[in-house]
Amino acid sequence: MADDRPPTKPPRNVAYFFDEELCNYNYGGGNPMRPHRHRLTTNLVKGYQLDEKMRILRPQARTREEIMHFHADDYVDFLTSVTPENQEEFMMQMRRFNLGPVGEADCPVFDGMMEYFQIYSGGSVGGAALINEGEADVVMNWSGGMHHAKKGEASGFCYINDIVLAILELLKVHQRVLYVDIDIHHGDGVEEAFYTTNRVMTVSFHKYGDFFPGTGALGDTGHAEGKLYSVNVPLQEGMDDESYKYVYEPVMQKVMELYQPGAIVMCCGADSLSGDKLGCFNLSIQGHSSCIEFLARFGVPMLLLGGGGYTMRNVSRCWCYETGRMLGLDLPDELPEAGYKDYDYFMDTHRLRIAVSNMKNANTRESLERIRTTVLENLAAMPPAPSAQMAPVPPKAEAEELPEEEMDVRGGGQAHDERRVAREGDIGDDERDDAKPARDEANAGSAPAAAAAAPAVGSEPAAPAPVVKQEEPAAAPAAAAPAALAATDEAFLNGATAPVAAVPAAVAAAPAATEQQQVAAPPVEQQRPAAGPAAEAAPAAAPAQAAPAAAPVEPAPEGMEMDL
């Protein structure tokens, strides 16, 4: 499709959510979902200097309680607790919630995943909050759009459904919200969440048949109060720009006239582009963008989210192009060098627009006409635009007061520095490769001093000094005590729960203060004087220091037994 359309009229305010840290997460095991694609998109946005024409914001991570506005508490608790290291302890829950090991499942357990979900959800809900407050007309969060996640189940690379959370936020202000999905996969998670309500209308254009997730038939139109408010447009492989426009524009024109939404949420998955690794449509970037531009002309506030898209170089091209169109710009085709100087994924052409293939379009004009007619007939049967009954308004999401993102600073600049909690000795990803060896060498130099202050369990110092006054009546009966006490201390420090070796009665005869020092101090071997004249003199001094028959003993730690 040629660029013969006039640029979209620039709205009052455009906001763009981005967090550098979000792009560092990895699903692992060759999983096709790559959060890194948002970094590539933002690099192109910066290269075209679009960041100077809109607000750049960092998402505020959603809390566990805020995520449970939609998701089940046991599901959220599981996502918070499971890690790659302990996942074997959660095998039953993993099967129940549709997760699996890295490399074996669409939704693997990977490092830091709950933080990842909280951040991208924060971008979508934060965008909805900006629209509610009238601070933005178009908000983009290309890291969001996880439309397959269910209330208590992960699906299709999606764990937390940020789209549903954002729509719930919009419903606090707007009577009706329209959700439009142009990802090649059916937006089943969002449709399921609002299948029985008329306050949210879902419209999905997707590949249907032997294709994930297998839902979204033409006859699936909602239930109860939501009857006719779920619209599904099932398509076949090879869908090109002209065929897509033939179905999309009449349907959406009718939807906007009849439903009259107060806000629009779009899942702009780029896996419907030509050449996608998992998709089978044949759309150009211009054809994909024209779907967004068509709705933008109605002047309704829009929240644009990411979604699918697995050929990263084309995904980033598409979302950068659409960012420009929302700003009313027609970007030049030659990619600016500043847009790929850090990560050059565009060596195929170094151009913004992509070429479509010559794949066969399985969608005949007759089949498209039948689908379009059926959908329009269903829309014509809809009642007038519904309104919400009077009810207390839930509290709105509070946006954190932060400075705008500094795009040229890794991590975001001031906002990042003020919120980051760094551990001493951490090495950032922007430091030199030789920083870590130098840090380790410095730490190694201070290790002896630390070892002297706190010896390792079971270690025996080279020159032990007497710490506790020895009150045993004789050295000979206590000769077997060091080994037993060493085992006792080692078991205690290791958190052992089994009974420990018996402690000789001669040791139990020490005062309570001595017993307390034995628990808190290093192993007993270093508390005893070295063998020599002092040890030989101990029997002679014993008659003058008669020990009590039974001294008070500190209670044993929980899970331990001590035979005294």
Side-chain angles (χ1 to χ4, degrees), residues 521-538:
V524 178
E525 290 91 336
Q526 63 189 46
Q527 299 179 2
R528 297 183 178 278
E536 295 175 359

Side-chain angles (χ1 to χ4, degrees), residues 119-158:
I119 295 173
Y120 75 65
S121 298
S124 300
V125 177
L130 289 179
I131 291 175
N132 283 347
E133 297 297 331
E135 297 182 12
D137 301 293
V138 175
V139 182
M140 287 164 278
N141 176 32
W142 298 126
S143 288
M146 303 303 171
H147 58 166
H148 294 307
K150 312 297 195 303
K151 183 180 181 68
E153 178 183 329
S155 177
F157 317 131
C158 306

